[in-house]
Amino acid sequence: MSRIATALTIADPEGFYAELLAVHDALSPEASAALNARLILLLANQVGDRAVLSEALQEAARGSDTAG
Amino acid sequence: MQHDEDPIRYPYRRVADQDASHPVRHPVVVAGAGLVGLVTALDLAGRGVPVVVLDAGEGVSAGSRAMCFARRSLEILGRLGCAEAAVAAGIPWHAGRVHHGPDVICGVEHGPEAGQRRPAFLNLPQAQLEAILVARLRALADAGAPVSLRGANRIIAVGTHPDHVRLEVETPEGPYSLHADWLVACDGANSSVRRMMALGFPGRGYEDAFLIADVAMDSDAPAERMFWFDPPFNPGRSALLHRQPGNLWRIDLQIGADADAAAELAPDRVLPRLRAMLGGQARFTVESLAIYRFHCRRMERFVHGRVLFAGDAAHQVSPFGARGANSGIQDADNLGWKLAAVIAGAAPELLESYNWERGLAAEENIQAAARASDFITPRSDASRAFRDAVLTLAGRHPFAREMVNTGRMAEPCTYDDGPLNGPDAAGLPGRTRPGAAAVDVPCAGGWLLDRLPQGFALLAIDADAPEAGLPVLRLGSAGHGALAAAWTGAGGGVVALLRPDGHVAARWHTAAGTPTPGDIAAALATAGGTS
């Protein structure tokens, strides 16, 4: 049974997306990767639910292979 | 043997076995007089089992070996009469400090201190603890216990038979043969018994090399475990500094995957590294030096017929977390009473529970050590990015401090779902559930572990224990808050069946009814005991 949200939960999705890109502006690939790592840890702690995190990891690991 | 002998030496002496016309048979031969072999011998001797310990060397170990002993190990040493000497000689500690770059990012508490009899950890060089164990073994032998330690007795061949093991032993005066009903192989990570039996030791090796140094240095730095990620004196890598007795300090410096051991050990390479770490003003002398690459590996089985493997011979981990020697001491603690029971007539299947329980502990330790190694020496750009993210966030965010892994320090393994476990009861504290090591707490007349009878026993707190042919320790929790917190629940007392190694085999909450003699007999039979 799916635990992760598949429907939109973020108010102002376009604004969030723009903000997400903005924090990476002018960063080197290494600095971007470091920022992403910090962001993932902060968000993961915010989510907390271990099963949701596992499902999100598996979903992300599927990458672009959406048929998988 | 005589009391006044130097406990750091056990020189070769000719024994009658060497002049026998046929190989002399012994109930138990222990291969290796390291920590695990000595603890095994003391445990068995304390249970009245004759033991011969064979060691290829003639004295306690040299160099930078184990140095950090956990509370559970001290409890086991206490049962063997060696804890007071160890604690008196060692440096107790419980706190750590983690640095990232030039900054301290967090302090770490490694286990509770209040209300504990033993320190969370004790730093003591392995050689010094071995000397305490050798002295104890000699004292037992002087008092008539059938235990002996033979130096310069190197096992050069092992022949396995259904009811015994035949050993060929090389000595300075030539070889001789021995028969052993049981052989306990405690001969270390490079176990020659394992090699001679052609048994595998599968696992994972780590590329990164570490420089391990013991240096003598006057310093008033606290007895804390100091860990650095990416410090100015070792950029991009890690470092560990830990106090030992006698102004001796253990240094553990990551020096990278490409390090050439011979070149790195040269004084013109080592001394600048150490000076950079300890500061230009520090006056120190190098006592020992080695380059290590770590492994996490284990034998598939620790029990092979009449040959039982324990300690590093059976399993090996990286040192972060002090899980090597501590788990080996727990192996000996787990094996001793079982082997004594089998020698006294119990079914040999009891030894399968050693394989199961200590196999579980090895898996736990390997997982913990592997996770620590992955954090300390990231395997990829991604793992380094996440590691650095954790360290960066840890300064401001408590949640990230919990992810900082400099080695999760050893906790005793709880044998959940183990083959010897009997019934559990709802409403009782998790930390004294079946499979757990008994939690030592103050009680009437002293400390719980001291008051426990030897062998299988019942612990009855605020409860009547039925007559089951077992010794009973009856205690009341009134006025003993730590005893109640560790052992009892609401609305009644507890009856617990304890194994000879102090692990809980089964327990009953009297709120749900007092166990019957039949209940206890059944749990005792499951746990491998006889009444």
Side-chain angles (χ1 to χ4, degrees):
Chain A
M1 197 179 76
S2 183
R3 289 167 171 273
I4 59 170
T6 51
L8 180 67
T9 66
I10 304 171
D12 180 26
E14 287 185 16
F16 163 72
Y17 192 80
E19 198 176 338
L20 179 61
L21 297 192
V23 294
H24 286 275
D25 274 348
L27 294 186
S28 67
E30 293 75 20
S32 267
L35 187 153
N36 278 336
R38 291 193 294 274
L39 180 62
I40 288 166
L41 293 172
L42 286 163
L43 295 178
N45 184 59
Q46 190 66 40
V47 170
D49 186 321
R50 197 58 192 76
V52 170
L53 292 172
S54 286
E55 199 180 325
L57 285 169
Q58 287 158 25
E59 191 57 34
R62 274 173 41 173
S64 58
D65 180 13
T66 49
Chain B
M1 286 195 242
Q2 291 142 28
H3 260 343
D4 52 2
E5 279 181 306
D6 182 351
I8 71 165
R9 298 274 305 152
Y10 35 87
Y12 170 75
R13 283 209 181 84
R14 192 169 187 87
V15 294
D17 287 2
Q18 291 167 264
D19 299 315
S21 55
H22 297 288
V24 174
R25 187 153 175 163
H26 296 274
V28 179
V29 169
V30 172
L35 284 176
V36 181
L38 291 169
V39 171
T40 300
L42 285 173
D43 186 285
L44 288 167
R47 300 182 193 285
V49 176
V51 194
V52 175
V53 184
L54 304 179
D55 195 87
E58 295 184 285
V60 299
S61 58
S64 301
R65 306 286 291 270
M67 55 150 282
C68 177
F69 298 94
R71 178 173 289 138
R72 179 64 190 152
S73 293
L74 298 174
E75 290 170 356
I76 293 166
L77 293 172
R79 187 167 59 70
L80 302 174
C82 297
E84 306 308 331
V87 171
I91 301 263
W93 65 277
H94 63 96
R97 201 175 293 221
V98 181
H99 306 69
H100 182 208
D103 307 316
V104 175
I105 55 169
C106 57
V108 188
E109 283 293 321
H110 296 286
E113 270 310 285
Q116 299 287 333
R117 180 183 195 185
R118 307 291 183 196
F121 293 95
L122 184 80
N123 284 357
L124 181 67
Q126 175 169 344
Q128 289 187 37
L129 182 53
E130 286 178 4
I132 290 168
L133 297 171
V134 168
R136 176 71 183 158
L137 192 136
R138 285 188 175 143
L140 288 182
D142 286 348
V147 56
S148 61
L149 168 55
R150 300 180 185 174
N153 273 239
R154 181 188 297 276
I155 298 171
I156 54 170
V158 177
T160 54
H161 301 275
D163 67 340
H164 74 284
V165 182
R166 181 187 171 105
L167 301 172
E168 306 301 326
V169 182
E170 179 74 35
T171 77
E173 296 182 301
Y176 69 105
S177 302
L178 273 182
H179 286 180
D181 292 342
W182 299 93
L183 173 66
V184 187
C186 308
D187 51 348
N190 298 314
S191 169
S192 54
V193 172
R194 191 183 64 228
R195 178 175 43 76
M196 288 184 278
M197 291 176 67
L199 296 168
F201 201 32
R204 178 174 151 197
Y206 292 82
E207 290 182 354
D208 267 86
F210 287 78
L211 174 73
I212 314 281
D214 285 337
V215 304
M217 173 176 70
D218 285 327
S219 167
D220 52 10
E224 288 184 339
R225 182 175 184 268
M226 309 273 269
F227 201 98
W228 288 265
F229 292 100
D230 191 20
F233 57 83
N234 198 23
R237 295 183 176 139
S238 70
L240 176 66
L241 180 66
H242 220 174
R243 181 168 215 142
Q244 301 183 71
N247 287 331
L248 200 62
W249 296 79
R250 167 66 54 86
I251 291 166
D252 195 335
L253 272 174
Q254 184 188 1
I255 58 174
D258 305 323
D260 170 354
E264 293 295 341
L265 287 174
D268 63 338
R269 293 284 297 157
V270 167
L271 293 177
R273 280 191 193 281
L274 298 182
R275 256 184 229 114
M277 176 173 183
L278 300 172
Q281 309 303 312
R283 293 270 169 275
F284 62 89
T285 53
V286 178
E287 301 282 318
S288 75
L289 211 51
I291 304 271
Y292 285 105
R293 283 185 168 83
F294 301 131
H295 292 88
C296 287
R297 52 189 171 181
R298 60 165 292 194
M299 299 177 73
E300 281 178 30
R301 287 181 50 77
F302 302 163
V303 176
H304 288 267
R306 295 257 164 180
V307 185
L308 311 159
F309 290 85
D312 281 0
H315 44 75
Q316 192 184 12
V317 294
S318 60
F320 303 106
R323 290 165 183 273
N326 285 299
S327 68
I329 289 171
Q330 289 172 58
D331 286 351
D333 179 57
N334 188 286
L335 179 59
W337 70 270
K338 294 174 181 176
L339 187 52
V342 169
I343 288 167
E349 285 68 39
L350 182 56
L351 295 171
E352 272 304 302
S353 72
Y354 167 72
N355 184 62
W356 195 99
E357 292 178 338
R358 297 312 299 167
L360 177 71
E363 289 298 320
E364 272 188 19
N365 288 325
I366 286 171
Q367 183 187 65
R371 286 175 173 179
S373 299
D374 285 342
F375 196 89
I376 293 164
T377 61
R379 285 182 289 171
S380 64
D381 290 344
S383 63
R384 178 173 293 275
F386 279 113
R387 197 281 302 274
D388 291 346
V390 166
L391 294 173
T392 303
L393 293 174
R396 280 167 300 172
H397 300 277
F399 85 84
R401 283 171 214 154
E402 301 297 321
M403 295 181 182
V404 173
N405 190 345
T406 65
R408 299 275 176 241
M409 300 305 286
E411 293 279 334
C413 180
T414 296
Y415 308 130
D416 283 319
D417 303 317
L420 304 189
N421 292 2
D424 192 10
L428 295 173
R431 60 194 173 119
T432 47
R433 66 190 183 273
V439 176
D440 201 10
V441 283
C443 63
W447 289 86
L448 179 66
L449 292 189
D450 279 352
R451 297 216 45 210
L452 276 180
Q454 222 195 346
F456 277 95
L458 291 175
L459 170 64
I461 303 173
D462 304 335
D464 288 324
E467 176 49 53
L470 289 173
V472 181
L473 174 59
R474 288 186 179 79
L475 296 172
S477 68
H480 293 284
L483 179 71
W487 288 92
T488 68
V494 64
V495 176
L497 173 64
L498 293 174
R499 312 180 344 180
D501 57 7
H503 280 252
V504 178
R507 63 179 180 171
W508 297 265
H509 193 180
T510 59
T514 302
T516 66
D519 292 336
I520 294 190
L524 183 64
T526 300
T530 48
S531 52

